[in-house]
Amino acid sequence: MLAFWDLQKSLPMSGALLIAALALGGCSSQLADYTPSDAQAHPREPGAYLPVHDLPPERDQAIIPPDQRAKIEAELAAARDRQSVAAKDAK
């Protein structure tokens, strides 16, 4: 009698669990394959590796002269100081 009672309780639960698993399994399809009609298609083959050993081309422009670099750094430091003072005043 006890085994029959356990079977009566566990059978509906296992059936509900099976139905839920099948329903959720149907929702887990590949959503990446569904694209809008105006979207570009993604290539299916894997891309090539990035050229990590290739060096960048030589620069066409000259490096900033030291005096001009010092001027730019001073301007940036002054702007940083002005903003820190303004931030302290805003609090």
Side-chain angles (χ1 to χ4, degrees):
M1 179 77 181
L2 186 60
F4 183 69
W5 180 255
D6 289 339
L7 183 63
Q8 281 182 335
K9 286 195 312 187
S10 65
L11 192 60
M13 282 189 205
S14 61
L17 183 64
L18 177 66
I19 290 172
L22 291 174
L24 290 175
C27 294
S28 66
S29 62
Q30 296 272 342
L31 294 177
D33 292 339
Y34 302 120
T35 57
S37 61
D38 60 342
Q40 295 179 353
H42 296 287
R44 293 287 180 206
E45 67 276 349
Y49 290 108
L50 294 175
V52 294
H53 296 293
D54 292 347
L55 296 176
E58 293 295 324
R59 295 179 184 230
D60 294 334
Q61 299 173 346
I63 299 175
I64 298 175
D67 58 338
Q68 194 176 14
R69 181 181 172 103
K71 178 184 171 190
I72 293 171
E73 287 178 356
E75 289 173 359
L76 287 173
R80 180 190 61 215
D81 294 340
R82 283 192 307 269
Q83 288 180 355
S84 67
V85 169
K88 286 180 184 176
D89 293 341
K91 289 183 180 180

